Amino acid sequence: HVQLVESGGGSVQAGGSLRLSCISSVDRHLSYCMAWFRQAPGQVREGVAGICSDGTTHYADSVKGRFTVSQESANTNMHLQMNDLKPEDTAIYYCAADRDSAAIQTFGVLRTDQYNFWGQGTQVTVS
């Protein structure tokens, strides 16, 4: 059973930065992808950024150049550095993970239907 726990959310002014963390129990020796998703009130959940066990990273166009996804070398803990935050970045941010990097990358790393394991979410508010 995979456990994912997010932290690091909060309230910031536009132009500010936040760093989200996802503590993960995914075995780093497996083939996997992990990703950040977000969901604003009344909106569908959307993919933000992802990273797979082969080292590839994936970003939504809306965050390219502002957000950076990374992973610790000793485990699969994942981070999301968010810079130049905008009010439209306000949402609950979720961490997701699943096995089989090749399959996930074939169908889309930032698709919600590629993941069976999810964290509880952390709120990000930009004013």
Side-chain angles (χ1 to χ4, degrees):
H1 180 68
V2 173
Q3 291 186 315
L4 304 168
V5 180
E6 303 97 333
S7 64
S11 297
V12 295
Q13 292 187 334
S17 298
L18 281 175
R19 179 177 168 85
L20 303 184
S21 295
C22 173
I23 304 304
S24 163
S25 67
V26 172
D27 184 342
R28 67 184 181 92
H29 298 104
L30 298 177
S31 169
Y32 64 86
C33 286
M34 296 180 64
W36 289 98
F37 290 82
R38 66 187 181 188
Q39 188 166 18
Q43 303 295 317
V44 298
R45 191 171 297 189
E46 63 173 359
V48 175
I51 188 165
C52 297
S53 50
D54 61 359
T56 57
T57 56
H58 309 262
Y59 294 95
D61 288 343
S62 60
V63 306
K64 283 180 181 176
R66 300 188 299 124
F67 291 11
T68 302
V69 63
S70 62
Q71 198 156 51
E72 298 176 16
S73 59
N75 50 53
T76 56
N77 295 341
M78 179 174 66
H79 304 282
L80 185 68
Q81 179 66 42
M82 305 186 294
N83 298 328
D84 190 22
L85 282 161
K86 303 176 181 181
E88 51 263 44
D89 295 318
T90 295
I92 298 174
Y93 283 70
Y94 298 91
C95 171
D98 216 321
R99 300 179 182 91
D100 197 343
S101 169
I104 294 174
Q105 292 193 66
T106 295
F107 292 103
V109 175
L110 301 185
R111 288 179 51 149
T112 57
D113 61 0
Q114 296 303 297
Y115 298 93
N116 288 300
F117 303 104
W118 294 82
Q120 82 289 349
T122 185
Q123 176 71 47
V124 171
T125 303
V126 185
S127 59

